[in-house]
Amino acid sequence: DIWAVSMKKVPVWKQLPLKEEKAKLPARIGMAYTKVDSQIFIHGGQNFNENKHFDEFFKLNLGNFLL
């Protein structure tokens, strides 16, 4: 799941629905990420529920999400 927060007077979190199912990535925490223009780059992370450590690299195009 991808979430966004509105930083107006009262912060509000909203889940971003996907245009395409293939844009999903496995659940994780502790990853490194950065935004460049309309893309987000994600590397690594962990899934403690499944005792997994990731060494993957993803590029998410924000155009795949209904903002």
Side-chain angles (χ1 to χ4, degrees):
D1 299 342
I2 304 292
W3 290 77
V5 65
S6 167
M7 298 303 288
K8 296 184 180 176
K9 290 182 181 179
V10 178
V12 175
W13 283 94
K14 172 179 139 181
Q15 185 175 5
L16 301 179
L18 297 168
K19 286 183 183 177
E20 300 178 28
E21 188 69 20
K22 69 180 183 179
K24 289 189 176 183
L25 62 141
R28 64 190 63 220
I29 64 170
M31 66 279 198
Y33 59 92
T34 190
K35 180 183 174 291
V36 178
D37 298 324
S38 64
Q39 299 174 338
I40 296 176
F41 297 90
I42 300 172
H43 178 259
Q46 302 174 51
N47 182 325
F48 290 117
N49 293 332
E50 298 177 12
N51 195 27
K52 287 186 179 179
H53 291 79
F54 298 106
D55 188 24
E56 301 170 313
F57 188 82
F58 291 94
K59 177 178 76 170
L60 299 178
N61 183 336
L62 293 178
N64 288 335
F65 300 93
L66 304 174
L67 301 175

